[in-house]
Amino acid sequence: MLHKIFLCLPFVIPTAAAGDRPNIVFVYADDHAERAVGAYGSPLTKTPHIDALAAEGVRFRNSFVANSICGPARATVLTGLHSHANGKKHNGGGFKDELPTWAKLLQSSGYQTAMIGKWHIGPKPSGFDHWAIAKGGYYGPTMVTAEGKTKTAGYTTEVITQASLDWIKSSLEADEPFAIWINHAASHRTWMPGPQYHDRYAEQVLPEPSTLFDDYAGRSPGAAASQMRIARDLFGAYDLKLPPEDGEVLGKRGNDLLNSMTEAQRSAWEAAYGPRNAAFAKAGLEGDALVRWKYQRYIRDYLRCVDALDDSLGQVRSFLKDNGLADNTIVIYSSDQGFFLGEHGWYDKRWMYEPSMRTPLIIHDPRAKSQGIVVDQLVQNIDMAPTILEYAGLEVPSSMHGASLASLAEEKQGPNWRTSVYYHYQQRDSGRTSHTVAPHYGVRTKQHKLIHVYDFDAWELYDLEGDPDEMHNLFGTEGAGEITATLVQELQRLREKFQDGTGKAI
Ligand code: CA
């Protein structure tokens, strides 16, 4: 192995011998909503490193998921398939590990491959030369590898970032290109910020969405039945970082999360949250004022976790630059789905409504001629695997549902791109700590969205141009007959095209 010599040389470009095949860094956040990305016009925050990636690369402004929940989203980006076809229809089991994935195809073509961070798919990762699954909460995650388990004392976003950079560094010993999936656990519930982020946003009153006090009138009964309301369904210790009360739901788990901190981390935490909790107890808030307080605590903690994600991306890009890799490394930033940041009074995701169905997607190919491109076409997470395969110079299996975005990124796509996307959420859960979102499928075009909440035999239709907040269900209203018929037909066509026989028939 002549590659060892690279260790001694600064600014080595180890991929030179691999010809044109670029390295690929796929950074995948968890629950990072577009509304919390500066480049997507966030009213809440700036994300300087993500925004810079968009300014230098391509931002997809109509990027959607096919099933807005963690495990299924990961299975879809790996396989290029909708959930029913890859088997991972909900957060339980079912993943068909024998399917082709971008990881397996890159690996067999000579790429060095790695997956570091959240996994949530089920079977041990295949197609990766190295993998390390982060388990646990935000503090002190355990990293599980093929060799065993290692308990860490760090903050999860930083642990995952460092492990990723360590692997990239080790990959430079060989001259084959590398592809790494940096699979963050943030900004998933329970939104616990790292010590250096505790005080961010503390002095700001963050803007509320106009639908924070939604009463769900006119929507499917499934909307009102969902247990993800900021007003009612955030738990004191677990979500809101308040001292647990006796017998409180998830109170012990909230305590366990605090106990996973080191002494220094716990001191910093108490110094930040102790006085705030004391002020909250003294204020004795009720009604709308209490909801507003919960929103502020939730959204501040969420954004603090996003800030760590942004810093992580900055660290990765600096590393690439410092090691002479930036000119031949494609960097992709996306999230497994969006998230409700108070819209409709909610946190969490799952619904086909915009905040949850949308997901940020930015691609920077340093070899591209143009910068700061914004793509309008409807793209979806089924496109991720074909895109990575095309960047790696590999053929896309015809069995994959998605299509490569590389031509859109180069503004070369003709008029034949899809004009609608198909969505199907089908997790059923119940109990006080579950979100009880009813299964539903639907179709979204540039202007309209049709949703069938089939357990309730309910339909929803929105004109997204006139009603971007999806507050006025037009289904069954006067004048909506023609567009409804067109969309039902399109929904049926997509269900047949993707051979989705799951869920109730239309
Ligand atoms: Ca997620």
Side-chain angles (χ1 to χ4, degrees), residues 351-362:
W351 275 104
M352 195 186 163
Y353 301 127
E354 292 289 274
S356 146
M357 186 187 185
R358 285 184 167 276
T359 199
L361 174 59
I362 297 164

Side-chain angles (χ1 to χ4, degrees), residues 110 145 155:
T145 67
Y155 183 68

Side-chain angles (χ1 to χ4, degrees), residues 374-435:
V374 179
V375 172
D376 278 331
Q377 279 92 341
L378 305 177
V379 306
Q380 200 167 25
N381 54 354
I382 53 172
D383 301 326
M384 187 57 69
T387 303
I388 291 174
L389 288 168
E390 183 168 346
Y391 279 130
L394 299 173
E395 200 174 323
V396 179
S398 60
S399 55
M400 287 188 176
H401 290 158
S404 170
L405 304 177
S407 59
L408 292 182
E410 290 172 18
E411 300 177 297
K412 283 181 185 163
Q413 179 65 38
N416 295 325
W417 192 254
R418 71 171 71 90
T419 55
S420 67
V421 289
Y422 177 64
Y423 183 92
H424 194 173
Y425 171 82
Q426 47 188 322
Q427 176 149 327
R428 278 193 173 81
D429 51 22
S430 60
R432 185 63 193 98
T433 58
S434 297
H435 295 299

Side-chain angles (χ1 to χ4, degrees), residues 144-218:
V144 181
T145 67
E147 289 76 42
K149 297 178 181 180
T150 310
K151 178 91 173 84
T152 72
Y155 183 68
T156 185
T157 305
E158 293 164 1
V159 170
I160 290 168
T161 306
Q162 194 53 55
S164 300
L165 297 183
D166 288 347
W167 179 80
I168 295 176
K169 208 169 195 176
S170 73
S171 81
L172 305 185
E173 294 175 32
D175 57 0
E176 291 84 10
F178 63 81
I180 182 168
W181 191 5
I182 303 178
N183 221 329
H184 282 295
S187 47
H188 193 278
R189 193 186 192 185
T190 56
W191 321 294
M192 293 175 79
Q196 68 271 47
Y197 303 96
H198 287 163
D199 294 332
R200 300 258 181 112
Y201 310 98
E203 305 303 320
Q204 281 177 259
V205 177
L206 293 154
E208 295 169 2
S210 61
T211 58
L212 182 61
F213 293 95
D214 194 353
D215 63 3
Y216 315 108

Side-chain angles (χ1 to χ4, degrees), residues 30-31 69-70 74 118 188 336-337 349:
D30 194 320
D31 296 354
I69 189 163
C70 303
R74 284 168 176 74
K118 180 166 174 171
H188 193 278
D336 62 347
Q337 69 271 304
K349 56 262 182 181

Side-chain angles (χ1 to χ4, degrees), residues 218-220 459-462 467 470-477:
R219 261 64 54 78
S220 143
W459 291 82
E460 299 185 25
L461 168 67
Y462 298 101
D467 178 24
E470 300 164 296
M471 294 293 281
H472 306 291
N473 179 11
L474 299 175
F475 188 85
T477 62

Side-chain angles (χ1 to χ4, degrees), residues 83-101:
S83 303
H84 65 277
N86 68 47
K88 188 81 181 169
K89 294 182 285 189
H90 46 68
N91 271 340
F95 181 62
K96 297 175 183 171
D97 199 27
E98 69 278 13
L99 288 167
T101 66

